[in-house]
Amino acid sequence: MRREFELKKDQDVAKLSLEVCHDEDFEAYINGVPAARATGHIGNYRIYPIAPQARKALKVGKNLIAVHCHQTVGGQFIDLGLTAKKVAHSVHVKKRGRPADPPPRPVADTKYVKKATWPETMLAVRRELHAAGEKIDISLGSAVAEQFWRDYPHQIDWLMQDSPGQMSEWVAGYRDGKGDLTNFLKADRDASLERGLIEKVLPECGSDGARLEKELEALIAASAEPENARWLDLYVRACRIRRLARLRPLLEKTDRVIFTRHHNMGGGFFAYTEYTNWNGNRFGGLCSLDLAGETKADGKFAVVDELIKTDTGGIVRDPALSYDAKRLLFAWRKEGSDRYYKVYEMDLAGGEIRPITGADTYGTDYDPCYLPNGNILFASSRVIQAVDCAGPDVSNFFICDKDGGRVRRVGFDQVHTLWPAVLDDGRIVYMRWDYNDRSQIYPQGLFQMNPDGTNQTEFYGNNSWEPTTLFHARGIPGTAKVVAALGGHHNPQCGKLGIVDTYKARQGLDGVTELPSGEKPTYRRADAYAQQGDQYSYPFPLDESCLLVSYDPIAYHLRGAGRRFNNKETMRFHLYFMTFDGRREVLSADVRISSMQPIPVIARQVPPHRPSTVDYRKTTGVFHLQDVYHGPGLKGIPRGTIKKLRVVEIRYREMNIGRNSSSGKGGGATVVTPIAIGTGAWDVKVILGDATVHADGSAMFEVPARTPVYFQALNEKNQMIQTMRSWATLMPGEQMSCVGCHEHKNQGPLSTGRTSMAMKAGVEKLAPFYGPPRGFSFTKEIQPILDRHCIKCHNLKGKAKKLPLTAERILDAGSKRNWSRAYLALTQTPEGNSRGKANEIVNWISNSSEPCMIPPQYGGSTRSKLIAVHEKGHNKVKLSREEMDKLAAWIDLVVPFCGDYVEANAWNEGELKRGQERIELRKRMDEIERKGIAELLDSETGI
């Protein structure tokens, strides 16, 4: 948003500042020069100094102030003003929304004193509050509940499950609102609450139920008051018996659970691990839960043993158990001052720890996973990529041997791939954040691959609006189903619990069953999907009826329309055993820090080992397409229309320098190190070449291995009819086949009774696109065409001056690019805006378009007047086939400007240095990987 204001002669520029209230991140510009920026949200106005260069840009008379506010979740608010005093005046820019409400009033004294038992403590607190005449309200009731969670988590959770009142509802209370004891604390009531608790438990008490019921009947007959200790004593004994019955399926399998304690991951967006230096992490570590005390209903609970303490600020995360249950992988930042996680392995019997990944590489190594062949898969940020829409380091998958050697990359993805888990059949299921030429918010679906990195393909939900993100998926033993947390994008790594069954569906909610309801989810389509009420994280299914899970019964809340109440830092996930129908028992709880990532210590059968088909002596792989017309991707397109498949490589940014913004049907986003206007291509595009589509719709062609590519179906004019808004990657020597264009993944090859024409013709090498593969650059590919044919009329003084197509460079201070006047004109991008707008002249598919499959010719060159007018002839201009192909390709590639991330930069000296350092760092990490692959080849050949 922008607004003009007038600076008077007598105003002292040196005294001016910006007064801002923002929710959340904001950037302000004065006359196009960055003036101030900040992240997060604040509830009150704050003074921000104007950057020196922006202060110099102020001038007497008219000035332009612009502000961009980026919301990550919930409501949005921005109010900004120039000021020389405490109160802003003269210039205000507002967006819809308002700051968050103030927190509820604190409670001075809960009268809480811990006694020998939970019933004694409950009765004592109630007695003292009544004697003191305290007002029993929600603030007091939830404050008392918080203290009971600290000392008696098992009992207070029983109370939450069994009570009919607000104990199971959100309360904006004193601390984190975890339950409300108001009903139990009130005076002058009968014992109906206590009676109801006991009656709720008895049906699960088996043979002991009849005896306990007689005790209950005696209390009822005696009209016992709620102050009578026999009520809560009976309730506790019944709960212990119920607990033993509930835990039996777990205790029959194991007597030990490994888990971690650390901060709640995610927040700014789902993949963040921010707050890693949060003070609360000093209570964290790697823990072992001894379940031996749970084998009798005698009031003893599991005992926690701290295997690794992080009292100096380090963090342990991502435990993974070996198949023989003797060793444990985990990621560890040893000290709060350490920058990166590395992967370690512990011998569970003796406690010895050894490093798997070392300090010789840049970045974080985490999410380790044992593979059936003894190798280890892990995620690492050593790829040296920046997240397209945010800037932090990207993490992709790598494989190493059991000792950490021979490391090679198997993930070549745009942004994060996370949470790998091996299924019973040996496949690896994981989450892939995927947004090539579409919205970055919604497609966080599940992918699958083989343990050698081959067959990387969709598992569930890559063309879906919802669930927004599938967190922490794990296979249900003995089935092809997985359990996952169903959550959002701009929020912590948590959500509702669901089963994903690919036999039912592959997209949307049709294949998802929510737990514990057993119903199809009904949450509204949203960035912050399923982020109200109780929350789940890190489910670990034991069988088709029960699981371990990190769970907060009352955790996260979006309060009111478009307004956020974010209690991420005060959420406390506890360790639970839970049945699929919702019966639960706390295993471990600590109100200071969340208990996460439960792993039962159970030996498992090693999944079938698939011999690797990867041949690192090769540099290519082969795709085979059976029939491009099969499936909904080309619905309505007559056979014979598609003549070629264009194969496009995606190249990813190393650095985070400059930014603009996009918007579309899939939401809005920031774009860092942009190579196009805001709604243009996310990444640098390289046309590798074209493959022939035969008359039967088949194609078979060779592509570079270890290279992310996507395909575009072209007509006889080399114009795009349909595009793949994702990517595929082949490992060296891999051959991958697909049936059609967006065919159902549960469908096998078509039964035609004949060999495809492409297979008969053999593997085709790609036909080059007017020269060797290169990043598509507007300056190098398009501007020369405009210079030859257009600028005579299309200049600022010519008869077509409304559409100037000259090469004059125009600085975009926010994007830190020097775009050309022609580029901005064709994309209808006003100076100082940088977002751009698809239009009748150039109609491209927005990079924030919807995540689901789009129909053929949704946008692109076939719908752009720039192409149509030159096909008919425009002012006697005759374009060559090459020129027409390049114009069409530019539009179909989503109007890129830069052919690499350095081109047309407007970086200062420090930014140039930082960018070059990141480029060199990637080269060093690539060289380390090359050595690892060479070692692997040497071992295979016996050298």
Side-chain angles (χ1 to χ4, degrees), residues 126-354:
R126 187 160 65 192
R127 192 165 50 246
E128 291 296 321
L129 288 172
H130 296 167
E134 291 286 348
K135 179 183 177 182
I136 309 299
D137 61 8
I138 287 177
S139 291
L140 178 62
S142 58
V144 174
E146 194 273 339
Q147 292 174 307
F148 273 107
W149 269 104
R150 179 190 64 208
D151 294 332
Y152 297 104
H154 305 85
Q155 294 88 342
I156 203 71
D157 189 68
W158 290 336
L159 202 63
M160 287 190 70
Q161 295 181 60
D162 301 326
S163 64
Q166 290 179 301
M167 282 298 293
S168 60
E169 299 172 6
W170 175 263
V171 178
Y174 172 52
R175 296 288 175 84
D176 57 357
K178 186 163 286 184
D180 171 28
L181 286 173
T182 302
N183 290 340
F184 288 91
L185 297 176
K186 286 179 179 177
D188 302 323
R189 65 173 179 84
D190 61 20
S192 58
L193 284 174
E194 286 75 8
R195 175 180 174 177
L197 293 174
I198 298 167
E199 290 175 341
K200 182 79 174 289
V201 180
L202 290 181
E204 292 188 62
C205 289
S207 59
D208 293 299
R211 173 176 55 82
L212 297 173
E213 188 171 8
K214 287 182 180 180
E215 294 186 48
L216 173 61
E217 290 172 351
L219 281 169
I220 296 170
S223 299
E225 297 293 323
E227 287 76 16
N228 191 319
R230 292 166 59 199
W231 284 111
L232 292 184
D233 176 70
L234 176 57
Y235 174 61
V236 167
R237 285 187 287 121
C239 285
R240 289 173 182 169
I241 293 169
R242 179 181 66 177
R243 178 179 176 87
L244 181 58
R246 285 180 172 179
L247 291 181
R248 189 164 288 117
L250 172 63
L251 298 175
E252 289 173 350
K253 291 180 172 65
T254 186
D255 60 0
R256 189 181 185 189
V257 174
I258 302 295
F259 68 100
T260 59
R261 287 174 173 163
H262 56 65
H263 66 285
N264 302 325
M265 301 288 183
F269 75 104
F270 75 100
Y272 268 178
T273 55
E274 73 271 59
Y275 311 125
T276 50
N277 291 320
W278 174 56
N279 289 333
N281 277 320
R282 68 182 182 275
F283 304 118
L286 180 66
C287 302
S288 175
L289 190 68
D290 183 357
L291 299 172
E294 298 279 7
T295 56
K296 296 180 181 179
D298 58 2
K300 294 180 181 178
F301 297 110
V303 177
V304 175
D305 178 25
E306 294 180 302
L307 304 178
I308 298 175
K309 294 183 179 181
T310 57
D311 49 7
T312 56
I315 306 169
V316 177
R317 56 176 291 182
D318 310 327
L321 189 68
S322 63
Y323 290 100
D324 60 8
K326 294 180 179 179
R327 291 163 291 122
L328 187 80
L329 293 170
F330 57 93
W332 188 10
R333 287 180 59 205
K334 288 190 173 183
E335 304 289 340
S337 58
D338 287 350
R339 187 176 179 188
Y340 302 121
Y341 298 95
K342 296 298 177 183
V343 175
Y344 294 82
E345 185 180 57
M346 173 184 285
D347 177 80
L348 286 179
E352 294 86 3
I353 298 172
R354 68 182 185 124

Side-chain angles (χ1 to χ4, degrees), residues 68 660-663 669 677-680 827 829-830 833-837 844:
H68 171 242
N660 56 24
S661 62
S662 70
S663 63
I677 42 88
T679 53
T827 57
T829 307
N833 178 295
S834 83
R835 180 168 293 186
K837 181 182 179 182
W844 69 92

Side-chain angles (χ1 to χ4, degrees), residues 84 86 134 206 251 301 310 339 453 484 549 578 680 687 754 822 928:
K86 293 282 185 179
E134 291 286 348
L251 298 175
F301 297 110
T310 57
R339 187 176 179 188
V549 68
M578 192 174 294
I687 297 178
R754 59 182 182 274
I928 290 173

Side-chain angles (χ1 to χ4, degrees), residues 692-747:
T692 303
V693 174
H694 295 269
D696 63 351
S698 65
M700 190 173 183
F701 50 94
E702 187 178 68
V703 300
R706 294 161 49 91
T707 302
V709 297
Y710 73 100
F711 312 123
Q712 296 184 325
L714 308 182
N715 63 12
E716 77 283 357
K717 299 177 182 178
N718 294 327
Q719 297 166 2
M720 179 188 76
I721 302 299
Q722 183 59 284
T723 185
M724 173 183 174
R725 295 179 305 142
S726 182
W727 62 90
T729 307
L730 297 184
M731 297 299 290
E734 180 179 2
Q735 298 185 28
M736 176 178 277
S737 296
C738 53
V739 177
C741 184
H742 284 277
E743 81 284 357
H744 198 287
K745 288 293 186 291
N746 291 353
Q747 180 180 349

Side-chain angles (χ1 to χ4, degrees), residues 30 72 140 143 274 300 415 482 618 681 726 766 889 907 918 933:
I30 294 177
T72 59
L140 178 62
E274 73 271 59
K300 294 180 181 178
V415 275
V482 301
K618 296 182 178 180
S726 182
L766 297 175
W907 304 346
R918 293 282 291 184
I933 293 173

Side-chain angles (χ1 to χ4, degrees), residues 93-130:
V93 181
K94 291 190 177 183
K95 294 184 86 169
R96 188 177 177 181
R98 64 184 182 83
D101 291 344
R105 70 172 182 85
V107 176
D109 186 4
T110 62
K111 306 300 180 185
Y112 180 92
V113 177
K114 183 182 179 183
K115 303 295 183 182
T117 66
W118 173 66
E120 290 179 61
T121 309
M122 281 284 288
L123 294 174
V125 169
R126 187 160 65 192
R127 192 165 50 246
E128 291 296 321
L129 288 172
H130 296 167

Side-chain angles (χ1 to χ4, degrees), residues 297-462:
D298 58 2
K300 294 180 181 178
F301 297 110
V303 177
V304 175
D305 178 25
E306 294 180 302
L307 304 178
I308 298 175
K309 294 183 179 181
T310 57
D311 49 7
T312 56
I315 306 169
V316 177
R317 56 176 291 182
D318 310 327
L321 189 68
S322 63
Y323 290 100
D324 60 8
K326 294 180 179 179
R327 291 163 291 122
L328 187 80
L329 293 170
F330 57 93
W332 188 10
R333 287 180 59 205
K334 288 190 173 183
E335 304 289 340
S337 58
D338 287 350
R339 187 176 179 188
Y340 302 121
Y341 298 95
K342 296 298 177 183
V343 175
Y344 294 82
E345 185 180 57
M346 173 184 285
D347 177 80
L348 286 179
E352 294 86 3
I353 298 172
R354 68 182 185 124
I356 297 297
T357 63
D360 60 328
T361 56
Y362 169 91
T364 281
D365 301 330
Y366 60 112
D367 267 349
C369 175
Y370 287 104
L371 298 179
N373 62 0
N375 287 334
I376 295 169
L377 177 76
F378 63 96
S380 179
S381 62
R382 66 182 70 183
V383 295
I384 320 301
Q385 292 172 209
V387 173
D388 296 42
C389 62
D393 281 347
V394 165
S395 295
N396 281 182
F397 287 142
F398 287 75
I399 289 176
C400 66
D401 63 26
K402 64 183 180 63
D403 297 315
R406 302 166 186 167
V407 178
R408 58 269 191 198
R409 184 177 178 181
V410 293
F412 301 85
D413 299 308
Q414 178 188 32
V415 275
H416 295 293
T417 46
L418 298 169
W419 309 307
V422 181
L423 302 178
D424 284 354
D425 61 7
R427 289 176 298 161
I428 300 165
V429 65
Y430 59 97
M431 187 235 66
R432 183 170 103 175
W433 193 9
D434 185 316
Y435 57 96
N436 175 39
D437 295 344
R438 57 179 178 161
S439 165
Q440 95 292 357
I441 292 175
Y442 291 93
Q444 282 96 228
L446 297 178
F447 272 69
Q448 62 186 10
M449 68 177 177
N450 295 331
D452 61 357
T454 58
N455 194 35
Q456 296 183 28
T457 187
E458 179 190 43
F459 183 86
Y460 193 89
N462 193 44

Side-chain angles (χ1 to χ4, degrees), residues 455-630:
N455 194 35
Q456 296 183 28
T457 187
E458 179 190 43
F459 183 86
Y460 193 89
N462 193 44
N463 283 285
S464 301
W465 281 101
E466 49 203 353
T468 305
T469 305
L470 289 159
F471 295 111
H472 312 145
R474 282 188 181 272
I476 300 175
T479 78
K481 306 170 187 176
V482 301
V483 172
L486 318 174
H489 180 81
H490 289 112
N491 49 253
Q493 294 177 12
C494 57
K496 301 303 178 182
L497 198 60
I499 296 173
V500 177
D501 187 349
T502 57
Y503 288 145
K504 291 182 177 179
R506 289 282 186 167
Q507 305 294 341
L509 298 177
D510 290 339
V512 180
T513 301
E514 187 189 349
L515 299 177
S517 71
E519 303 293 331
K520 180 178 176 180
T522 57
Y523 300 98
R524 65 183 177 86
R525 180 181 300 168
D527 178 347
Y529 180 85
Q531 293 294 299
Q532 289 180 287
D534 59 345
Q535 296 289 292
Y536 299 82
S537 193
Y538 301 106
F540 196 110
L542 300 171
D543 52 37
E544 283 196 87
S545 64
C546 59
L547 73 163
L548 301 178
V549 68
S550 295
Y551 175 62
D552 191 335
I554 304 174
Y556 204 69
H557 188 68
L558 296 176
R559 192 170 56 177
R563 292 160 50 208
R564 181 186 190 189
F565 180 68
N566 180 0
N567 59 322
K568 171 186 179 291
E569 293 185 55
T570 53
M571 279 194 295
R572 292 294 176 267
F573 287 85
H574 306 312
L575 218 61
Y576 280 81
F577 169 84
M578 192 174 294
T579 61
F580 281 17
D581 61 5
R583 290 169 290 161
R584 70 183 196 240
E585 292 292 335
V586 172
L587 297 178
S588 181
D590 188 331
V591 298
R592 302 171 300 175
I593 193 168
S594 287
S595 299
M596 302 295 233
Q597 302 175 305
I599 305 290
V601 180
I602 302 171
R604 298 162 292 153
Q605 182 176 351
V606 179
H609 170 49
R610 301 167 182 258
S612 176
T613 60
V614 177
D615 185 351
Y616 281 101
R617 294 167 298 179
K618 296 182 178 180
T619 59
T620 61
V622 174
F623 282 107
H624 173 243
L625 169 64
Q626 188 176 11
D627 183 1
V628 72
Y629 299 100
H630 182 74

